[in-house]
C-alpha cells in the first residue's frame, strides 16, 4: 500500500509540475513578428532559450546613445525576422534590472550582445539598421558557402559586405576549410567556388588552382595562398589575414586583439588622417607584408589620446614613434630608433625591426591601470576621473542625507542627472 501511495503522489507531482511548466511557457510565449522584444528578470532566460539567435540591447532609459540606437534596432528587427534563420532583437533595461547587467558584465550603455544558441558574444559592429543587418547575417549563414558561377561569386562578395575578411577557395573541396570556417565563423566569411571563368581568375589575381583568396574590402587588400593545404599552414594564412596589413587602433579594433598571439609593431602618429601619415602607412604595409610574424598597427594621438598616453606618449614628443607591444602591459623601445624622421622612413622602419630582432631593446610597462582592464572594459582614463567625481558627489549626498532623521529607508542612488548620464554613456 505504501508503494502505491508513493507512486500516486509522484504521478500527481509530475502532472502538477507539467501544468506549471505549461502555464509558464504560455505566459512567456514569444512571436517572431519583426518587433523588438522587451525583456526583464522574469522572461530573459525564457527568451534566450526560445530562439537560436537573439540580439540583445542592454540599455538605460537616460542614455542618449541608447535613444539614438533605438529606432535603428526597430528598423533592423523587421529585416532580421524575415531571414531563413531569423534573428530576434530584444532589449533589456540593464540599469533597472541590475542582476542581469552584472551577470553579463555590462559596464556601459548601450552594450550589444548576440546570443547564439544561448551563448553570448560581444557585438562591436555597425549600428545603422542596414549595415547592422548585413553584419549579423553572417552569423546565420552557412559555415562554407558553395558558389557555382561567376554571378554567385559576385553576389556572395557583395552580400558579405566590407566588415569582415572574406575567404574564397577556388578549385578546392569545402572539407579542406570547413574546420577553420567553423572555428573562425565569428570573424570571417568562408566559401568555395566550384565553377568559375578565366576572367574571375584574372580579376582575383590568381593563375592556378587550388588557391585560397583572402579579401578585406574595408582596407582594399587581397592575398593569395597556393598551399601547402595542410592544417598548420592553412590556419596560419587564415589567422594572418583576419587583420589588415596595418590595423588602425580604436576602441573596436582593440577588442579584436584579445586572442592575438603575435607581437604588435605599433606606430604612434600625431594625426592618422594627415597626408604624411597616409604615406607612412603605405610603408608600414610593405614592412608588414614582409614580416607576417608580427601584427602592424598605428594609433593617432588626436584620435585615441587615452590609449596612446599609456605608452608615455604626449604632445611634446617627436612623432612618429614605433614600439613593439606584447598586447598586454609590456612594450619595447628600440635603442637608437626613438622616432621616425621625415626622410627615408622606409629605411628607418627596417632599422627599427632589425634592432628589435637583434635584442637592442629597452623593456617598459604601460603607465596607469592595467591594459588588460583597459581592453576588457574600454574605460579610458577620462572616465576614471569622471568616476571619481561621481563618487565624490555620492559621498556628499550621503553626508547631507544623514541630517534627514525622518528618512528611515534609503533608496540606492540612480544616475538620473545629466552628468551621470554622460558618465554612463558608451560611445558609438
Amino acid at each position: 500500500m505504501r508503494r502505491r501511495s508513493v507512486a500516486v503522489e509522484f504521478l500527481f507531482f509530475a502532472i502538477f509540475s507539467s501544468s506549471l511548466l505549461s502555464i509558464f511557457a504560455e505566459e512567456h510565449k514569444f512571436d517572431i513578428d519583426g518587433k523588438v522584444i522587451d525583456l526583464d528578470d522574469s522572461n530573459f532566460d525564457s527568451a534566450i532559450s526560445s530562439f537560436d539567435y537573439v540580439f540583445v540591447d542592454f540599455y538605460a532609459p537616460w542614455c542618449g546613445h541608447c535613444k539614438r540606437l533605438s529606432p535603428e534596432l526597430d528598423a533592423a528587427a523587421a529585416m532580421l525576422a524575415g531571414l531563413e534563420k531569423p534573428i530576434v532583437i530584444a532589449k533589456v533595461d540593464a540599469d533597472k534590472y541590475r542582476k542581469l547587467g552584472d551577470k553579463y558584465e555590462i559596464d556601459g550603455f548601450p552594450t550589444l550582445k548576440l546570443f547564439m544558441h544561448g551563448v553570448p558574444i560581444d557585438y562591436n559592429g555597425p549600428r545603422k539598421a542596414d549595415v547592422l543587418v548585413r553584419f549579423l547575417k553572417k552569423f546565420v549563414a552557412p559555415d562554407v558557402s558553395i558558389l557555382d558561377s561567376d554571378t554567385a561569386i559576385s553576389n556572395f562578395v557583395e552580400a558579405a559586405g566590407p566588415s569582415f575578411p572574406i575567404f574564397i577557395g577556388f578549385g578546392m573541396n569545402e572539407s579542406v576549410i570547413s574546420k577553420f570556417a567553423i572555428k573562425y565563423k565569428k570573424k570571417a566569411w568562408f566559401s568555395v567556388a566550384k565553377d568559375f571563368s578565366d576572367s574571375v581568375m584574372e580579376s582575383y589575381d590568381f593563375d592556378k588552382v587550388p588557391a585560397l583568396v583572402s579579401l578585406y574590402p574595408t582596407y582594399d587588400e587581397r592575398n593569395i595562398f597556393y598551399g601547402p593545404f595542410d592544417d598548420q599552414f592553412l590556419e596560419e594564412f587564415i589567422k594572418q589575414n583576419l587583420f589588415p596589413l596595418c590595423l588602425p587602433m580604436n576602441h573596436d579594433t582593440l577588442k579584436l586583439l584579445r586572442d592575438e598571439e603575435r607581437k604588435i609593431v605599433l606606430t604612434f602618429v600625431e594625426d592618422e588622417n594627415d597626408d604624411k601619415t597616409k604615406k607612412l602607412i603605405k610603408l608600414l604595409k610593405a614592412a608588414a607584408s614582409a614580416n607576417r610574424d608580427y601584427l602592424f598597427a598605428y594609433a593617432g594621438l588626436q584620435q585615441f589620446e587615452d590609449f596612446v598616453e599609456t605608452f608615455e606618449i604626449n604632445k611634446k614628443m617627436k612623432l612618429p614613434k614605433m614600439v613593439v607591444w606584447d598586447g598586454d602591459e609590456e612594450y619595447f623601445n628600440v635603442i637608437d630608433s626613438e622616432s621616425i624622421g621625415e626622410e627615408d622612413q622606409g629605411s628607418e622602419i627596417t632599422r627599427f625591426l632589425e634592432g628589435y630582432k637583434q635584442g637592442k631593446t629597452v623593456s617598459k610597462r604601460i603607465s596607469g591601470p592595467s591594459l588588460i582592464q583597459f581592453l576588457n572594459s574600454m574605460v579610458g582614463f577620462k572616465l576614471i576621473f569622471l568616476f571619481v567625481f561621481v563618487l565624490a558627489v555620492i559621498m556628499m549626498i550621503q553626508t547631507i542625507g544623514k541630517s534627514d532623521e525622518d528618512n528611515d529607508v534609503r533608496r540606492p542612488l540612480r544616475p538620473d542627472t545629466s552628468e551621470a548620464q554622460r558618465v554612463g554613456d558608451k560611445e558609438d
Side-chain angles (χ1 to χ4, degrees):
M1 292 293 292
R2 177 59 185 163
R3 289 180 180 176
R4 180 178 296 179
S5 176
V6 171
V8 171
E9 289 176 2
F10 179 80
L11 180 60
F12 175 78
F13 177 77
I15 295 173
F16 179 72
S17 299
S18 177
S19 299
L20 284 179
L21 288 174
S22 298
I23 294 171
F24 181 81
E26 185 66 27
E27 182 183 353
H28 296 291
K29 184 178 180 181
F30 301 97
D31 295 319
I32 303 177
D33 57 4
K35 296 180 180 179
V36 177
I37 301 173
D38 281 299
L39 300 180
D40 55 37
D41 283 336
S42 68
N43 63 3
F44 188 90
D45 290 339
S46 179
I48 297 304
S49 62
S50 296
F51 305 106
D52 291 337
Y53 304 95
V54 187
F55 186 67
V56 181
D57 171 24
F58 292 88
Y59 75 99
W62 43 261
C63 164
H65 296 296
C66 301
K67 293 175 182 177
R68 289 191 290 274
L69 176 62
S70 182
E72 301 295 337
L73 296 181
D74 289 336
M79 292 184 275
L80 292 170
L83 298 178
E84 182 177 348
K85 295 181 179 179
I87 299 175
V88 175
I89 295 186
K91 62 181 179 180
V92 56
D93 183 348
D95 186 45
K96 180 179 181 180
Y97 301 103
R98 295 190 177 185
K99 287 185 179 180
L100 281 174
D102 292 340
K103 180 179 180 179
Y104 294 106
E105 300 179 350
I106 306 304
D107 58 15
F109 304 111
T111 292
L112 303 172
K113 292 181 181 288
L114 177 64
F115 287 76
M116 301 174 63
H117 304 286
V119 179
I121 61 170
D122 292 333
Y123 174 85
N124 302 306
R127 299 185 179 185
K128 295 296 183 182
D130 55 343
V131 286
L132 183 148
V133 169
R134 177 178 289 186
F135 199 94
L136 288 177
K137 279 183 178 180
K138 85 164 303 299
F139 293 99
V140 298
D143 297 327
V144 180
S145 297
I146 308 302
L147 313 175
D148 56 8
S149 67
D150 291 3
T151 301
I153 295 169
S154 177
N155 290 343
F156 174 77
V157 172
E158 182 180 356
S163 301
F164 287 99
I166 301 168
F167 293 92
I168 307 175
F170 291 91
M172 294 172 53
N173 190 293
E174 60 267 28
S175 62
V176 176
I177 61 172
S178 60
K179 177 170 66 176
F180 302 114
I182 295 170
K183 183 175 181 178
Y184 297 105
K185 182 179 178 68
K186 301 173 185 177
K187 299 181 178 181
W189 292 90
F190 291 86
S191 66
V192 168
K194 293 291 188 179
D195 193 12
F196 49 90
S197 67
D198 291 342
S199 62
V200 167
M201 296 180 67
E202 184 178 348
S203 63
Y204 285 99
D205 200 25
F206 67 97
D207 54 12
K208 61 181 180 178
V209 294
L212 181 61
V213 176
S214 74
L215 310 171
Y216 213 140
T218 296
Y219 302 98
D220 193 26
E221 292 184 6
R222 177 188 303 147
N223 288 289
I224 315 295
F225 181 70
Y226 290 114
F229 289 97
D230 59 67
D231 285 356
Q232 178 184 350
F233 290 100
L234 182 58
E235 184 170 20
E236 190 66 25
F237 175 79
I238 291 172
K239 287 169 63 177
Q240 289 178 352
N241 286 277
L242 292 175
F243 295 97
L245 283 171
C246 196
L247 182 71
M249 300 299 284
N250 53 53
H251 286 92
D252 290 337
T253 57
L254 263 180
K255 295 178 182 180
L256 301 177
L257 300 179
R258 288 173 173 168
D259 301 324
E260 178 58 38
E261 299 175 354
R262 290 176 292 174
K263 291 286 195 303
I264 301 165
V265 178
L266 182 56
T267 302
F268 301 105
V269 298
E270 178 67 32
D271 180 1
E272 62 185 45
N273 294 319
D274 66 28
D275 292 337
K276 292 181 180 179
T277 297
K278 292 177 181 178
K279 292 179 182 178
L280 175 60
I281 291 172
K282 290 181 179 180
L283 295 173
L284 292 171
K285 286 183 176 182
S289 182
N291 295 271
R292 298 307 294 256
D293 290 339
Y294 302 96
L295 174 63
F296 282 66
Y298 63 94
L301 182 61
Q302 291 187 22
Q303 286 77 23
F304 205 4
E305 184 176 358
D306 291 341
F307 172 74
V308 173
E309 287 181 345
T310 62
F311 294 86
E312 299 182 347
I313 305 292
N314 56 58
K315 295 178 180 179
K316 296 181 180 179
M317 297 187 65
K318 183 180 179 181
L319 298 177
K321 175 179 171 61
M322 297 179 72
V323 302
V324 176
W325 177 39
D326 70 352
D328 190 3
E329 299 182 12
E330 187 178 25
Y331 67 96
F332 300 89
N333 287 326
V334 174
I335 299 171
D336 295 329
S337 292
E338 286 76 14
S339 62
I340 300 176
E342 295 185 5
E343 301 295 330
D344 199 10
Q345 291 182 326
S347 296
E348 295 197 36
I349 292 171
T350 300
R351 186 177 66 169
F352 173 89
L353 294 171
E354 290 176 349
Y356 174 75
K357 293 174 183 178
Q358 294 169 5
K360 299 178 181 179
T361 60
V362 176
S363 175
K364 305 198 73 174
R365 299 186 75 79
I366 63 151
S367 60
S370 167
L371 201 58
I372 295 177
Q373 298 173 358
F374 188 97
L375 291 171
N376 288 339
S377 66
M378 291 297 108
V379 178
F381 295 112
K382 290 182 178 179
L383 288 184
I384 293 174
F385 289 128
L386 286 173
F387 172 77
V388 173
F389 171 76
V390 172
L391 183 62
V393 172
I394 292 173
M395 293 175 65
M396 180 180 69
I397 292 174
Q398 288 177 337
T399 302
I400 295 173
K402 289 179 181 179
S403 63
D404 187 357
E405 297 179 354
D406 295 331
N407 188 8
D408 295 330
V409 180
R410 296 184 183 276
R411 297 181 178 178
L413 184 65
R414 303 300 298 274
D416 292 326
T417 66
S418 59
E419 189 65 37
Q421 292 178 20
R422 288 193 295 273
V423 176
D425 282 359
K426 177 180 283 187
E427 292 296 333
D428 286 321

